[in-house]
Amino acid sequence: MSEQVPATETRAEAAEFQTGAPSPLVGIVMGSESDRATMEKAGAELGERGISFEVQVMSAHRSPDLVATYAKDARSRGLRVIIAGAGLSAALPGVVAAHTDLPVIGVPLAAKTGVMNGLDALLSVAQMPPGVPVACVGVDNARNAAVLAARILAA
């Protein structure tokens, strides 16, 4: 069964997820603790499939260096896919993709202060510049991100 790693906010805490149990295959990251309830659906789906994963909270805006370090070190820690959920400007999936060659799946999240129930986030995730690919699932559809991650791992 999968082991869920606690959320990370600081570089010191980031070092903690590099030790311990066998390396997870999928990283689930989100921009805010308030995104956890939606993003837990990805973890549940991965867990049902027996795919190991870790969960981290890190903001592309408030902790950009931590996000860059996480993404750059992901492959060497054994990750093979990263699922990144964010609302509003939804920069997290693109920032992660800019710092890794691993597949990144973006989950646009509807935010209380967002536009049209997540349309702002959807457009932010889907409209990546050339050379920075991010797969995009539907708004708040973290479960589909996990299904896609499982298919990527099976390929």
Side-chain angles (χ1 to χ4, degrees):
M1 207 66 186
S2 300
E3 180 174 327
Q4 187 173 345
V5 179
T8 301
E9 287 288 350
T10 67
R11 185 173 298 278
E13 290 172 326
E16 292 177 19
F17 64 69
Q18 296 179 22
T19 61
S23 296
L25 295 175
V26 178
I28 300 173
V29 296
M30 62 201 83
S32 172
E33 188 63 40
S34 64
D35 301 331
R36 186 174 295 275
T38 300
M39 295 303 291
E40 281 179 343
K41 296 171 187 163
E45 181 68 27
L46 292 170
E48 287 176 21
R49 293 169 179 264
I51 297 171
S52 60
F53 65 95
E54 66 185 19
V55 176
Q56 306 294 328
V57 176
M58 56 185 72
S59 169
H61 300 104
R62 292 181 295 275
S63 52
D65 292 338
L66 179 60
V67 172
T69 298
Y70 178 85
K72 288 175 186 176
D73 295 345
R75 180 179 292 281
S76 67
R77 292 186 307 98
L79 292 182
R80 295 194 37 216
V81 180
I82 299 173
I83 298 171
L88 301 174
S89 70
L92 185 61
V95 171
V96 169
H99 292 286
T100 187
D101 62 350
L102 292 174
V104 176
I105 304 168
V107 180
L109 301 173
K112 291 178 185 173
T113 58
V115 178
M116 296 175 63
N117 295 320
L119 179 60
D120 51 348
L122 175 67
L123 294 173
S124 293
V125 173
Q127 294 297 107
M128 289 293 110
V132 187
V134 174
C136 182
V137 297
V139 174
D140 289 340
N141 204 335
R143 180 173 179 257
N144 264 5
V147 172
L148 181 55
R151 290 181 180 182
I152 290 169
L153 291 170

